[in-house]
């Protein structure tokens, strides 16, 4: 038995002959000896992928504190602790812990649903050891082992094929191709892309048909699957636009508050209006007033609501900020197979001698029609069509099975599509096969590129049926069947033109022929297919796009989002599918070998104007995502294969298919589509835009409240006046009424036209010029209301405590009226829809009203907050201020809209 050192990776194995591969691995066609295999296993280690490190429960818990938004909450807790209000400190810390627990629960749900890539490796393999066939654990395979492959086997390691007989392997998880790959032992060129390496079998792929033997050339982390896993571990994730914005916002706000507090402390010390201890506590109160303590909690709740809403739409969001990032997506890079298409082959056209039929339907479902020149026809009215479809299932080993979710195929996908075609034509496939049982066959092989089948009917007639590559069958046929059943001389040039016509639409073409045979013949020989064959016609097959994907692409384009298709399939097929989907640029496709010739700058320029990328590898997909991001795009990447995982992780939002998607793709993604429905992405983007809108409304609501409070305190400190509201009362407003009211904005429905506007720029600040104006304007209004009511109350004879209670209630009433205004940032709020509000808004207003009445009239509140009960007259005055604020804001909206309209007209 041959022995030698185990060689893990010495590419390109696909370019070496089978004998050279055996020599390189120190093996022979009889396999390794048991002793040699054991020695190699100790050197190379088990055939499994390294298990990623797992964080403990405490580490996962603490990781959720590493967030700038949490830092703001912790800072607020520190401030309240300095004020010695331990109850308030406990409340804020409870918010922090609750936010952390929400994140852990979401992470835990996702992790329970996902398994590592290593679970894709075969649990066991059939090998030759000491020349004897035996089964071994997949983990015990070593380089040099000779593996036997049969239908249904999962390839246990990377193999250089030594021999094949009709071997076809489903490599969709690596290449994205929906059609099984034909395999042969013949070497291919060094530069052959992964999808064209016909002399290789790759770990994790599935044997669809035929038999083969191969020598193991790579195991574990050295396999193609392992290299993708390693690439995935090295890819760095990117922060979401929202977190980047909130980080910048919190830094600037913190710096501003600290600077303002320091200046005021210095000014107050020099002027000497107040004792230093009172001045210091007033400055601390200013910090409490200026920092929106409730914003991080509202952010978390708003994102959580978006996550729950998407779960109801069959989209599982693994990381909460991803739901908001979807609102900023400007480019969707989508895998083709199983994502935009069904990953189910379908016959789309049938050509007979004089006619070209179009076939409708979806996937393997035996429902559809035959169209001739756009008009539906009955297959029974066209005998040659019926004869051709019958021949296609008699030279066929696939079976169609109904399932709870539709139909599935046992066997080769292309043969399954032919079975579906025959059933659409009204044929009883199983009855037809029983009436003409198979006697012998020649399996499909890449060497001769056809499959032949000999069948006898019960009357003693025998017929040879043949299907295969059209160029092969056209060389073998001598005649063709006419539309009336007659045989005429084969017009090969006309048929070749028809093949090119069908292939130009992205369809894979099969030719079907037959030949009468002697009734006594029981065996089939290659000589039997070399004469007397009659061509019946051609069939064109494709993996059709999902109907819902077509409408989803249209929705995305209407929303200003580019959709780009990235696939391992051939360019012609990809372009045809792209045209059916309605992609913008389908005149040309950029192939993997062209991508290799482009540097990053050139690729960034080309990627803008190309929407179809074909024959791509995992590295190409990753480069494309990075090129788009370098141009400022916010990229969502969809996919289902292992080959998609690195790009899914790198993208701003990775979206994996939950049904047909691999676990590797799911683990690398931020979102998983449980129904594998591309149309759900459009709904997710709508939800993401709504979440961002609602967050912006919450910011525009909270900041003026804090601004009005802070401005009131600054005015009092600068002019040596009595503080209109105490720091503790400010904390009550910020952590109770403001949070409850702002929380209702998280439930706001999408505004009209949310999917008719272009994506926002990723660097667009949440505090835009309009937002800053609104915050400043409303802050001044709130400050004027607070000071005005405080001063008026004192002028009417109220003491400090009573005047402050009036000022606090005025602030809360202004908040309530402002809430109805801020629900529509530009549109009028004084409408029936605006006044009625939503259930969450009305519930929040009711809750705040009850809380504020408790604050004002409950005796124990006087102990905590030094409040005093108000008279009915004082209460009416407070409500009047809210009404005035609402009217002023509506007037401001009208003027702002008029100014914006005139500005746009000036630009045009």
């Amino acid at each position: 038995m041959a022995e030698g050192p185990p060689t893990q990776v010495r590419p390109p194995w696909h370019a070496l002959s089978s004998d050279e591969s055996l020599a390189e691995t120190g093996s022979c066609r009889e396999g390794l000896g048991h002793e040699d295999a054991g020695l190699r296993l100790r050197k190379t280690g088990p055939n499994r992928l390294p298990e990623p490190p797992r964080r403990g429960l405490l580490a996962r818990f603490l990781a959720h504190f590493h967030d700038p938004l949490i830092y703001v909450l912790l800072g607020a807790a520190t401030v309240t602790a300095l004020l010695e209000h331990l109850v308030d400190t406990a409340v804020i810390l409870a918010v922090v812990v609750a936010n952390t627990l929400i994140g852990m629960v979401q992470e835990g749900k996702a992790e329970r649903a996902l398994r590592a890539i290593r679970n894709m490796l075969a649990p066991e393999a059939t090998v030759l050891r000491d020349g004897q066939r035996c089964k071994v654990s997949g983990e015990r395979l070593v380089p040099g082992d000779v593996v036997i492959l049969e239908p249904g086997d999962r390839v246990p390691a990377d193999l250089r094929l030594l021999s094949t007989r009709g071997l076809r392997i489903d490599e969709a998880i690596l290449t994205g191709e929906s059609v099984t790959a034909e395999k042969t032992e013949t070497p291919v060129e060094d530069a052959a892309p992964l999808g064209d390496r016909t002399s290789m079998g790759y770990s994790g792929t599935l044997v669809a048909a035929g038999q083969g033997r191969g020598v193991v050339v790579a195991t574990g982390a050295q396999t193609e699957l392992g290299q993708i896993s390693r690439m995935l571990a090295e890819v760095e994730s990117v922060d979401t636009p929202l977190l980047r914005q909130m980080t910048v916002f919190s830094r600037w706000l913190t710096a501003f508050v600290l600077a303002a507090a320091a200046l005021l402390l210095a000014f107050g010390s020099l002027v000497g209006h107040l004792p230093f201890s009172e001045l210091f506590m007033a400055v601390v109160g200013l910090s409490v007033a200026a920092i929106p303590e409730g914003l991080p909690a509202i952010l978390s709740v708003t994102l959580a609501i978006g996550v729950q809403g998407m779960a109801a739409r069959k989209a599982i969001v693994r990381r909460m900020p991803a739901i908001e990032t979807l609102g900023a997506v400007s480019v969707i890079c989508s895998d083709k197979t199983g994502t935009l298409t069904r990953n189910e082959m379908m016959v789309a056209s049938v050509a007979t001698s004089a006619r070209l039929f179009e076939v409708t339907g979806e996937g393997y479902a035996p429902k559809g029609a035959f169209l001739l020149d756009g008009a539906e026809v009955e297959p029974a009215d066209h005998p040659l069509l019926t004869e051709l479809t019958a021949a296609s299932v008699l030279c066929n080993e696939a079976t169609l099975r109904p399932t709870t979710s539709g139909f599935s195929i046992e066997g080769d996908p292309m043969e399954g599509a032919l079975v579906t075609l025959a059933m659409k034509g009204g044929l009883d496939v199983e009855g037809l096969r029983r009436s003409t049982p198979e006697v012998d066959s020649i399996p499909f092989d890449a060497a001769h590129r056809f499959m032949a089948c000999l069948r006898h009917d019960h009357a003693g007639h025998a017929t040879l049926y043949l299907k295969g590559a059209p160029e092969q069958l056209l060389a073998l046929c001598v005649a063709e069947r006419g539309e009336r059943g007659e045989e005429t001389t084969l017009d090969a040039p006309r048929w070749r033109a028809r093949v090119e016509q069908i292939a130009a639409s992205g369809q894979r073409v099969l030719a079907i022929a037959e030949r009468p045979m002697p009734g006594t013949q029981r065996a089939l020989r290659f000589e039997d297919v070399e004469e007397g064959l009659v061509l019946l016609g051609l069939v064109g097959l494709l993996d059709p796009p999902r109907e819902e994907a077509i409408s989803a692409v249209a929705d995305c384009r209407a929303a200003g989002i580019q959709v780009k298709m990235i696939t391992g399939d051939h360019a012609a097929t990809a372009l045809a599918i792209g045209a059916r989907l309605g992609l913008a640029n389908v005149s040309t496709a950029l192939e993997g070998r062209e991508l290799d010739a482009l540097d990053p700058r050139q690729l960034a320029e080309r990627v803008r104007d190309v929407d179809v990328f074909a024959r791509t590898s995992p590295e190409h997909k990753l480069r494309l995502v990075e090129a788009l991001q370098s141009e400022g795009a916010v990229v969502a990447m969809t996919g289902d294969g292992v080959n998609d995982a690195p790009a899914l992780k790198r993208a701003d939002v990775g979206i994996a298919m939950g049904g047909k998607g691999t676990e590797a793709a799911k683990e690398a993604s931020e979102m998983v589509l449980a129904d594998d429905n591309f149309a759900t992405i459009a709904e997710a983007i709508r939800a993401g835009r709504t979440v961002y809108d609602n967050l912006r409304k919450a910011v525009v609501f909270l900041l003026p409240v804090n601004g009005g409070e802070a401005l009131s305190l600054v005015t009092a400190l600068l002019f040596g006046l009595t503080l209109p509201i105490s720091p503790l009362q400010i904390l009550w407003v910020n952590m109770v009424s403001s949070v409850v009211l702002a929380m209702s904005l998280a439930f706001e429905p999408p505004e009209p036209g949310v999917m008719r506007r272009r994506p926002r720029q990723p660097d667009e600040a949440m505090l835009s010029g309009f937002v800053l104006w609104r915050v400043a304007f409303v802050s001044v209004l709130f400050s004027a209301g607070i000071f005005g009511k405080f001063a008026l109350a004192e002028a009417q004879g109220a003491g400090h405590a009573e005047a402050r209670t009036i000022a606090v209630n005025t602030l809360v009433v202004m908040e309530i009226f402002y809430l109805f205004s801020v629900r529509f940032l530009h549109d009028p709020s004084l409408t029936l829809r605006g006044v009625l509000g939503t259930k969450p808004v009305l519930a929040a207003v009711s809750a705040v009203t009850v809380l504020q009445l408790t604050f004002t009239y409950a005796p124990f509140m006087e102990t905590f907050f030094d409040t005093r009960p108000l008279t009915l007259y004082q209460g009416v005055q407070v409500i009047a201020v809210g009404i005035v604020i609402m009217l002023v804001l509506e007037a401001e909206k009208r003027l702002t809209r008029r100014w914006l309209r005139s500005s746009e007209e000036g630009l045009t």
Side-chain angles (χ1 to χ4, degrees), residues 166-170 180-183 206-210 412 414 444:
L167 182 63
R168 295 185 186 182
I169 298 180
D170 180 355
T180 54
E182 302 168 6
K183 295 297 182 178
L206 192 66
V207 178
D412 183 81
M414 285 199 293
F444 181 91

Side-chain angles (χ1 to χ4, degrees), residues 11 32 38 143 222 225 234 264 350 361 405 450 503 514 612 653 655 684 736 771 775 780 845 907:
L32 301 173
Q222 304 301 321
L225 198 64
E234 294 171 355
L264 285 171
V350 179
S405 58
F450 64 76
E514 68 176 18
V612 178
V653 183
I655 306 172
V736 179
V771 172
V775 169
V780 171
V845 170
L907 289 174

